[in-house]
Amino acid sequence: MGRGRVQMKRIENPVQRQVTFCKRRAGLLKKAKELSVLCDAEIGVFIFSAHGKLYELATKGTMQELIERYGKYTGGPQLPDEPMVEPMDAKKEIGMLKQEIEILQKGLR
Amino acid sequence: MGRGRVQMKRIENPVQRQVTFCKRRAGLLKKAKELSVLCDAEIGVFIFSAHGKLYELATKGTMQELIERYGKYTGGPQLPDEPMVEPMDAKKEIGMLKQEIEILQKGLR
DNA sequence: GCCTATATATAAGA
DNA sequence: TCTTATATATAGGC
């Protein structure tokens, strides 16, 4: 968008990169908020700039809460210092999942 | 954008809401990737649809790693340099395998 | 999902 | 930063 096209690769000019970073970061967060409101979704976004600064957005509650929900969804606590349970069962589950993947892949052929 | 303007509030029509959700979700993730590449940033995004389904993007490494970095940044040395152990990796792998299975299942339809 | 017509985002420039 | 010309995103309609 704008006066010229843009190559999808790291912008080398530091000044231009910083300007673009600010603009697009604002745009991204705005879009995230919009999606959240329009479609009743919960969204978490965090951005680490190249220099390590953090920018974040949680459309509902706090980022911590969203991260916890994320952890529950994917299958394990992340930030909490919760000790994990039963490594054995985990390995067993991995084996079964891999098997299922193989079956599915065969189905695709 | 588009043929008409849009009110910044929850879209009531379920069908339209679903369509918009798909379109804008894709747009948001694309923008996140672009920002990441252009400005050399690390970005994590996760979206829970109203129905609880998770969509995510981690522009570098895994979401887990980004979340860990997030935790270190915000919570300080919460779980200091706790070397991540077996069980966590297992959980991570399970999450990834499940994701792959979903993708394969979609391919079968 | 694939098409336009429009609304937005944003690259250059000052 | 603010402005302006263009590139993109996407609402509404098949």
Side-chain angles (χ1 to χ4, degrees):
Chain A
M1 318 93 169
R3 300 296 177 87
R5 286 193 190 168
V6 68
Q7 301 297 310
M8 264 309 291
K9 65 168 197 172
R10 176 195 158 97
I11 296 170
E12 290 307 332
N13 182 309
V15 176
Q16 193 183 339
R17 185 168 65 244
Q18 171 61 21
V19 172
T20 293
F21 180 66
C22 288
K23 287 181 178 179
R24 280 176 173 258
R25 170 162 46 80
L28 183 70
L29 297 181
K30 183 181 178 184
K31 290 277 188 182
K33 283 180 204 164
E34 291 184 353
L35 175 58
S36 164
V37 172
L38 293 173
C39 304
D40 200 23
E42 292 175 37
I43 305 178
V45 180
F46 47 89
I47 305 169
F48 285 103
S49 71
H51 199 58
K53 189 162 170 46
L54 171 67
Y55 301 86
E56 66 174 297
L57 166 73
T59 63
K60 186 181 179 182
T62 66
M63 181 61 82
Q64 244 73 20
E65 288 166 357
L66 280 181
I67 286 177
E68 277 176 37
R69 181 172 176 185
Y70 174 86
K72 286 182 184 175
Y73 190 102
T74 53
Q78 275 73 36
L79 280 189
D81 39 48
E82 291 232 7
M84 195 59 53
V85 219
E86 270 316 283
M88 265 318 247
D89 284 354
K91 290 201 173 180
K92 199 191 293 181
E93 186 170 5
I94 287 176
M96 297 182 70
L97 290 172
K98 283 186 176 174
Q99 210 170 351
E100 186 168 357
I101 287 176
E102 275 205 13
I103 294 171
L104 287 169
Q105 287 178 328
K106 283 184 182 175
L108 278 174
R109 286 173 219 148
Chain B
M1 318 90 171
R3 301 295 176 87
R5 284 192 189 168
V6 68
Q7 299 297 311
M8 265 307 291
K9 64 167 195 172
R10 176 194 158 98
I11 295 170
E12 289 308 331
N13 183 307
V15 176
Q16 194 183 340
R17 184 166 67 244
Q18 173 60 21
V19 172
T20 294
F21 180 64
C22 288
K23 288 182 177 179
R24 280 177 174 259
R25 171 161 45 78
L28 183 69
L29 296 182
K30 182 180 179 185
K31 289 278 189 181
K33 281 180 206 162
E34 291 184 354
L35 176 56
S36 163
V37 172
L38 292 173
C39 304
D40 200 26
E42 291 176 38
I43 305 180
V45 180
F46 46 89
I47 304 171
F48 285 103
S49 72
H51 199 60
K53 189 161 170 46
L54 172 67
Y55 302 85
E56 65 176 296
L57 167 73
T59 62
K60 185 179 179 184
T62 67
M63 180 63 81
Q64 253 74 19
E65 289 167 355
L66 280 180
I67 286 177
E68 279 171 36
R69 181 171 176 184
Y70 175 86
K72 285 183 184 174
Y73 190 101
T74 55
Q78 209 175 28
L79 300 179
D81 27 31
E82 180 95 19
M84 207 46 69
V85 213
E86 235 289 53
M88 178 65 94
D89 285 349
K91 288 285 183 181
K92 195 197 292 183
E93 186 167 5
I94 287 176
M96 296 182 72
L97 289 172
K98 283 186 176 175
Q99 213 175 352
E100 185 166 358
I101 286 176
E102 271 208 18
I103 293 171
L104 286 170
Q105 289 179 327
K106 280 186 183 173
L108 279 174
R109 286 172 220 151

